[in-house]
Amino acid sequence: MTMTDPEALLTVVAVPCLQDNYAWLVQDRATGAVAVVDVPEAAPILKALAERGWTLGQILLTHHHDDHIAGVAELVAATGAKVFGATADAHRLPHLDQALRPGDAVRVGAERAVVLDVPGHTRGHIAFHFPEAHAAFTGDSLMAAGCGRLFEGTAAEMWASLSQFLGLPDDTLIGSGHEYAQTNLRFALSLTPDDPAVVARAADVAALRADGLPSLPVTLGEERATNPFLRAADPDYRAAAGGGRETAAETFARLRLLRDGFR
Ligand code: ZN
Ligand code: FE
């Protein structure tokens, strides 16, 4: 999906890779500079660049899992792009031209991405937030109507990570690493079957997927209204989703366990 908002500072393109991954092409409109967030495989990214006549300058990595980095070497060989990733995970990422710490900024042309530390799925997981362009690339932390599994972190860590996104404006575009929206929305409906926002989004996503289109990007406002994990911050939602007198972090942990067992 290419965002066509003429006012937008960035052009954002979801590039389907492997079974259900997305790489994200991000072009700064002002300068034409292009970055990609995550590289599950090189070929679809090279094709998407060629179709648009874009030159790739930067590769931004969210985390070390193979389905996010496997195509880096081939993409670097083909484009000469510079690789950026978390200092904390430098030992298990492809060679980094620039190692990033939380709070660091990466320039993509005239735009700026701030590095957010979002552990939980993996220890060194980072996200890239473009505060001026109102976009965030979240990898396997915040996902469409869901969040990543807790492979290396605790529920409390993931809750703290997701809470950072709750502070961003509603019109922030979210690009995450996988097409899991349909399963995630079925899970959301299992918790609150009559919730109108969830029902409507499930229908929207079903229509997009039936046409072979990505369900992403999505606005943070829509995530706030439909993502059970973000809604753990809302006491009314906690009650509706089966919680008693839980804290938000406790609700998050309970929902994450339920989601792990959900098919
Ligand atoms: Zn992952
Ligand atoms: Fe992944």
Side-chain angles (χ1 to χ4, degrees):
M1 182 180 185
T2 303
M3 302 310 293
T4 49
D5 175 0
E7 302 289 306
L9 298 172
L10 295 174
T11 302
V12 171
V13 181
V15 182
C17 294
L18 305 176
Q19 288 299 317
D20 56 30
N21 280 79
Y22 290 117
W24 290 93
L25 287 180
V26 179
Q27 186 208 39
D28 170 38
R29 292 261 180 91
T31 61
V34 178
V36 68
V37 181
D38 287 342
V39 188
E41 54 179 337
I45 297 169
L46 289 167
K47 182 163 175 280
L49 290 165
E51 283 168 0
R52 291 167 179 80
W54 289 0
T55 301
L56 185 69
Q58 291 157 287
I59 294 170
L60 312 181
L61 301 175
T62 63
H63 68 295
H64 76 286
H65 282 159
D66 203 48
D67 64 313
H68 297 257
I69 64 170
V72 169
E74 185 182 345
L75 195 58
V76 168
T79 64
K82 299 297 180 206
V83 183
F84 298 67
T87 304
D89 270 350
H91 61 287
R92 55 183 184 176
L93 288 168
H95 171 76
L96 298 178
D97 296 291
Q98 192 174 327
L100 301 170
R101 292 190 161 77
D104 282 356
V106 180
R107 291 240 154 239
V108 178
E111 288 308 310
R112 173 176 74 112
V114 176
V115 175
L116 303 181
D117 188 28
V118 289
H121 179 69
T122 64
R123 253 186 296 282
H125 197 306
I126 57 175
F128 297 93
H129 174 223
F130 291 78
E132 286 78 27
H134 291 209
F137 299 91
T138 59
D140 293 354
S141 60
L142 175 62
M143 304 180 85
C147 73
R149 281 178 189 268
L150 305 179
F151 286 122
E152 297 179 354
T154 64
E157 283 171 329
M158 182 63 104
W159 175 244
S161 295
L162 295 184
S163 297
Q164 296 179 66
F165 298 116
L166 285 170
L168 305 183
D170 270 348
D171 66 354
T172 304
L173 276 186
I174 303 295
S176 70
H178 290 268
E179 182 56 66
Y180 291 161
Q182 280 181 298
T183 312
N184 285 337
L185 288 163
R186 275 199 296 111
F187 175 66
L189 285 170
S190 76
L191 299 165
T192 54
D194 303 320
D195 189 300
V198 181
V199 170
R201 186 172 178 197
D204 289 348
V205 167
L208 288 168
R209 299 303 297 147
D211 289 341
L213 296 172
S215 69
L216 294 160
V218 61
T219 63
L220 185 69
E222 186 154 17
E223 283 298 318
R224 226 192 278 283
T226 58
N227 185 323
F229 299 108
L230 291 185
R231 297 175 85 188
D234 173 359
D236 291 339
Y237 183 78
R238 294 210 290 277
R245 289 173 173 280
E246 294 174 331
T247 65
E250 285 165 353
T251 300
F252 172 80
R254 185 170 61 80
L255 296 185
R256 187 58 258 177
L257 278 175
L258 282 174
R259 177 67 184 84
D260 288 345
F262 184 83
R263 290 292 172 272

